[in-house]
Amino acid sequence: MGLLERLRKEWFILGIVLVIAVARLEPAVGVKGGPLKPEITITYIAVSAIFFNSGLSLKTEELTSALMHVKLHLFVQIFTLVFFPTAIWLFLQLLSITPINEWLLKGLQTVGCMPPPVSSAVILTKAVGGNEAAAIFNSAFGSFLGIIITPLLLLLFLGSSSSVPFTSIFSQLFMTVVVPLIIGQIVRRYIKDWLERKKPPFGAISSCVLLMIIYTTFCDTFANPNIDLDKFSLIIVVFIIFSIQMSFMFLTFLFSTRNNSGFTPADTVAIVFCSTHKSLTLGIPMLKIVFAGYEHLSLISIPLLIYHPAQILLGSLLVPTIKSWMVSRQKALKLTRQPKAPVKV
């Protein structure tokens, strides 16, 4: 029963492995112009479905309750969308002299440019017992910001504007991300009671659509005879990704727990997860748009595909440790705030 329960929880990571394996065996099915017609079914229908689904499941009232914690929001968004991509860019200047595959290095830069995810940071913050409302707000708000800022960052750091006209990036993102998200929120207002009662599996639906996107991306890779990925580069990139996550989690933890930071232990939990997690749901469709026509698109996508399961795995392993720290810290703060008993003479 334990193994079945574990498989049920890890089905998405197993799904990624499976769809990549199927793409390797029969890439002709999902290539551009193939039977699945991914240039229509994936680029427009699948991506729109993901964000309609997000709009339908997002609880607007929960986000508004966290709106006033401006300092926390500023820290998370600046770290995610300014410090993170800049630090990665500086780090990649050193790695560029190594024999690591240049397209995987470009992929690491795209990871840095991505906004926070709507799900994983919130799920882990909730598991620890941290400030869930702040995690929800920052994940959702970061995703909205990412629609505008991430393409700008990709163009700034990778100069992909030669491949796709700047206006087409935003028009396609607007039509396939913003519009479905707004429609989802409007529909939610009318069927809110039904959604609360039935609790449809929104996460599983988005994940299944995402697996389709990953499958077609890798079909394009394996169908291209010019692409060759060496194992050395892949192993090094996996190591780099885990190192980046650990370093940035530690950095955000140190900053948010310093004296006079103004953050509670529950806030720190939300900050650590929201600042270091990156969105695969928004990331893969965005890469599909920004790097349309790139023969190395799937190689650029690999670091993000590794980063996503890595952040969930690492976060899950750290939940008990962070939870015990938060509880003990909250108890210590409670004791210091209690008025001292008067001394009897």
Side-chain angles (χ1 to χ4, degrees):
M1 186 67 182
L3 179 63
L4 286 172
E5 184 66 20
R6 195 167 179 180
L7 286 172
R8 189 181 66 79
K9 287 180 179 177
E10 307 296 338
W11 73 269
F12 181 64
I13 295 168
L14 293 171
I16 290 176
V17 175
L18 183 64
V19 295
I20 292 172
V22 173
R24 181 74 184 89
L25 290 170
E26 199 57 59
V29 176
V31 293
K32 193 174 180 181
L36 282 181
K37 298 284 183 220
E39 62 273 21
I40 297 166
T41 57
I42 299 299
T43 307
Y44 294 100
I45 299 169
V47 175
S48 298
I50 282 181
F51 289 100
F52 172 75
N53 190 43
S54 293
L56 206 57
S57 61
L58 218 56
K59 292 182 180 178
T60 318
E61 60 274 15
E62 286 183 8
L63 304 181
T64 52
S65 67
L67 191 61
M68 300 313 293
H69 207 333
V70 178
K71 189 179 177 182
L72 189 153
H73 307 327
L74 276 174
F75 176 81
V76 171
Q77 300 308 327
I78 290 169
F79 190 96
T80 308
L81 296 169
V82 179
F83 176 82
F84 202 127
T86 307
I88 296 293
W89 183 81
L90 291 169
F91 182 51
L92 291 181
Q93 301 313 300
L94 298 172
L95 291 180
S96 63
I97 59 171
T98 66
I100 300 170
N101 185 294
E102 65 166 313
W103 297 103
L104 286 181
L105 293 181
K106 285 180 187 290
L108 280 172
Q109 185 63 69
T110 68
V111 170
C113 298
M114 291 301 152
V118 175
S119 56
S120 62
V122 176
I123 291 164
L124 290 168
T125 301
K126 187 176 182 177
V128 172
N131 190 339
E132 189 188 348
I136 290 169
F137 178 84
N138 277 285
S139 295
F141 183 58
S143 295
F144 280 110
L145 279 181
I147 292 166
I148 301 163
I149 295 173
T150 295
L152 286 171
L153 291 172
L154 291 171
L155 295 172
L156 174 68
F157 288 111
L158 297 164
S160 55
S161 54
S162 57
S163 171
V164 180
F166 191 72
T167 49
S168 82
I169 295 169
F170 287 103
S171 59
Q172 191 170 340
L173 280 172
F174 185 78
M175 291 308 295
T176 58
V177 176
V178 181
V179 172
L181 204 59
I182 292 169
I183 293 170
Q185 282 279 282
I186 292 166
V187 172
R188 179 182 172 81
R189 291 182 66 184
Y190 293 99
I191 59 167
K192 187 180 170 185
D193 292 339
W194 182 84
L195 291 171
E196 293 292 329
R197 196 168 61 252
K198 294 290 183 182
K199 293 188 175 13
F202 291 115
I205 294 165
S206 284
S207 296
C208 288
V209 178
L210 198 55
L211 287 175
M212 266 186 68
I213 295 172
I214 294 165
Y215 168 70
T216 56
T217 300
F218 276 87
C219 282
D220 284 336
T221 306
F222 297 127
N224 191 331
N226 302 320
I227 289 174
D228 182 37
L229 178 62
D230 60 292
K231 289 187 178 74
F232 166 77
S233 291
L234 192 60
I235 291 164
I236 294 295
V237 165
V238 171
F239 174 75
I240 289 168
I241 283 168
F242 274 99
S243 301
I244 287 169
Q245 286 188 23
M246 286 296 291
S247 303
F248 284 0
M249 285 178 87
F250 185 62
L251 191 65
T252 52
F253 178 80
L254 280 181
F255 190 90
S256 60
T257 54
R258 79 193 198 289
N259 290 334
N260 304 319
S261 69
F263 298 125
T264 66
D267 292 340
T268 295
V269 175
I271 287 168
V272 167
F273 289 128
C274 290
S275 301
T276 57
H277 278 214
K278 293 292 184 176
S279 176
L280 183 70
T281 311
L282 188 64
I284 292 293
M286 206 172 273
L287 291 180
K288 278 282 212 185
I289 296 166
V290 177
F291 294 101
Y294 267 52
E295 64 174 1
H296 296 96
L297 170 62
S298 54
L299 289 184
I300 293 171
S301 307
I302 284 170
L304 186 58
L305 289 170
I306 296 168
Y307 197 96
H308 179 78
Q311 72 191 6
I312 294 169
L313 177 65
L314 193 60
S316 302
L317 290 172
L318 289 172
V319 161
T321 309
I322 296 173
K323 190 169 189 173
S324 63
W325 167 82
M326 189 190 76
V327 170
S328 62
R329 183 80 175 147
Q330 283 173 331
K331 282 179 182 174
L333 286 170
K334 204 172 181 181
L335 285 171
T336 56
R337 284 171 188 160
Q338 281 180 354
K340 290 180 181 178
V343 180
K344 290 181 181 179
V345 181

